[in-house]
Amino acid sequence: MKEDSTTLTAAYRAIAVTFATLVHKSRAMREVVAQARVLAASDASVLILGETGTGKNLVAQAMHNASP
């Protein structure tokens, strides 16, 4: 049976994205995650830019979940 996109979207949103669940190895991504952790604790507005498929949405969701 094929699931519809609404069900898949709801399942995706149910997954708790945290900084610990972000998969990264490069020094550049370690720096991005470190900066995102600091910004998540502040009340700053953040614009995340990058190429398609780089994980911008995941970083944004981790920041949102970690923010007060």
Side-chain angles (χ1 to χ4, degrees):
M1 238 166 110
K2 184 177 179 184
E3 295 187 47
D4 65 359
S5 62
T6 304
T7 303
L8 293 175
T9 301
Y12 172 74
R13 289 184 182 150
I15 298 170
V17 179
T18 66
F19 292 117
T21 62
L22 294 178
V23 177
H24 58 284
K25 291 183 180 180
S26 71
R27 179 178 172 191
M29 275 307 294
R30 287 194 306 266
E31 291 174 7
V32 167
V33 171
Q35 289 177 350
R37 285 179 191 269
V38 172
L39 290 168
S42 74
D43 63 351
S45 296
V46 178
L47 175 64
I48 301 171
L49 300 172
E51 295 182 24
T52 302
T54 57
K56 297 178 300 290
N57 188 46
L58 293 173
V59 170
Q61 190 63 51
M63 290 180 70
H64 175 77
N65 290 341
S67 70

